Amino acid sequence: MERIGAATAGSSHALTVLVASPAGYRLIDSGDGQKLEQYGEIRLVRPEPQAMWRPTDPAAWESADARFEGTDEDDGPGRWSAKPDDWTVDCGPAKMICRITSNRHVGLFPEQQPHWDAARRAVEGVEGAERPQILNLFGYTGAASLILAAAGAEVTHVDASKKAIAWARENQTASGLDDHAIRWICDDASKFVAREVRRGRRYQGILLDPPKFGRGPKNEVWNLFEDLPPILSDIAELVADDALFVILTAYAIRASALSFGRLLEESLAGKGGTVTAGELALEEASGRLLPTSMFATWRP
Ligand SMILES: C[S@@+](CC[C@H](N)C(=O)[O-])C[C@H]1O[C@@H](n2cnc3c(N)ncnc32)[C@H](O)[C@@H]1O
């Protein structure tokens, strides 16, 4: 579902809200700085600073299988009240193994589903023998890589964490997609992209979901505010003439979707097309929207 925000009088700078409705996930309720979520068969309570309102269904919270208690800071450490065994959440062709981790995440960001669907449709729409080349940077446990490989793309998945790559490969096996073309690369995203530019590589689709702060495998520092502009300049050189999309997302940072949109527009200037910027959101049973990340996308 796509909801277009109201534009200021006389301006066309509306932001877009993409509301996710992933198959295996449901946001049941949120409030008092927390969210109650159904990930497949497991019900979790995790901190959610954006949920400044009151819960609408207080009784439902009693049924949680595990609660994370820690700082409000995203990716910050904390502890779980219980440790359910690994379980699997169905995301179409991707069967995602979910796992309790010490930084509150469980291996799946379901709010990305509108991007998975748009990218999958673009890949499926390609005619001819050549398979579209997709680059998934900061790819984590591989949901987008698996969905796009299943749709017929050749995917290059890059992440700095060996653990994340190993988890993504487990997901590939769990999804029955071992025979699908995915290059799993453990590398620093900026270095990898710079090397691909030197090699003259081109991609039909590029996704990037960088964290605010991260480290490459050789301890290279990733700082979104400093490193996003140069990586986007390099990415502009990787965009093929027949490109389908560039999708940029980020969560838990003090920035605006407007600045993301403006930066992507500037980085891809000269390629024509349209940039859309806005927020990703999850919808509760009550219809209330919980904002999760901001995004900017480019389409030809
Ligand atoms: C927010 S997660 C991406 C979520 C993913 N797009 C999804 O929807 O499942 C960020 C990922 O960036 C990786 N990362 C952090 N610093 C990096 C760097 N310098 N180069 C490559 N990957 C990095 C982390 O290991 C982590 O897996």
Side-chain angles (χ1 to χ4, degrees), residues 18 20-25 39 89-94 96 107-124 136 139-149 151 207 209 245 247 249 280 282 297 299:
L18 295 177
S21 50
Y25 171 92
Y39 269 90
V89 174
D90 205 318
C91 296
M96 302 297 293
L108 179 62
F109 289 90
E111 65 267 24
Q112 294 284 343
Q113 172 262 327
H115 287 329
W116 300 334
D117 280 5
R120 179 185 47 76
R121 282 195 299 272
V123 165
E124 285 172 351
N136 186 14
Y140 191 46
T141 53
S145 299
L146 296 171
I147 290 166
L148 299 182
L207 303 108
D209 186 14
F245 57 80
I247 297 176
T249 344
L280 297 180
L282 291 165
T297 57
R299 299 258 153 65

Side-chain angles (χ1 to χ4, degrees), residues 58-204:
W61 296 67
E62 300 305 317
S63 58
D65 295 293
R67 294 166 185 271
F68 183 87
E69 271 136 35
T71 58
D72 269 358
E73 183 197 335
D74 209 271
D75 297 336
R79 55 182 298 279
W80 289 91
S81 64
K83 290 220 162 80
D85 291 341
D86 292 0
W87 72 102
T88 302
V89 174
D90 205 318
C91 296
K95 310 294 175 229
M96 302 297 293
I97 299 167
C98 288
R99 176 170 299 157
I100 295 293
T101 70
S102 60
N103 66 1
R104 86 198 50 201
H105 301 299
V106 295
L108 179 62
F109 289 90
E111 65 267 24
Q112 294 284 343
Q113 172 262 327
H115 287 329
W116 300 334
D117 280 5
R120 179 185 47 76
R121 282 195 299 272
V123 165
E124 285 172 351
V126 172
E127 286 168 7
E130 295 270 304
R131 287 142 71 83
Q133 300 291 311
I134 304 296
L135 178 59
N136 186 14
L137 298 164
F138 307 93
Y140 191 46
T141 53
S145 299
L146 296 171
I147 290 166
L148 299 182
E154 274 180 17
V155 179
T156 302
H157 171 113
V158 180
D159 198 284
S161 154
K162 268 193 193 152
K163 215 168 152 182
I165 299 257
W167 193 342
R169 297 184 88 133
E170 276 183 73
N171 286 332
Q172 182 178 22
T173 302
S175 308
L177 294 172
D178 279 338
D179 56 342
H180 282 61
I182 304 178
R183 284 201 293 159
W184 301 108
I185 294 176
C186 184
D187 202 351
D188 175 66
S190 301
K191 277 192 176 166
F192 179 80
V193 165
R195 270 202 304 278
E196 290 291 79
V197 170
R198 289 197 293 276
R199 292 177 190 125
R201 277 291 304 254
R202 294 287 181 274
Y203 290 91
Q204 276 73 35

Side-chain angles (χ1 to χ4, degrees), residues 30-77:
S30 64
D32 294 342
Q34 296 191 300
K35 57 188 168 190
L36 173 66
E37 306 166 281
Q38 186 79 41
Y39 269 90
E41 71 214 29
I42 297 290
R43 203 165 265 208
L44 301 174
V45 174
R46 299 189 294 163
E48 179 47 77
Q50 305 274 359
M52 291 174 276
W53 43 71
R54 280 192 294 275
T56 55
D57 187 3
W61 296 67
E62 300 305 317
S63 58
D65 295 293
R67 294 166 185 271
F68 183 87
E69 271 136 35
T71 58
D72 269 358
E73 183 197 335
D74 209 271
D75 297 336

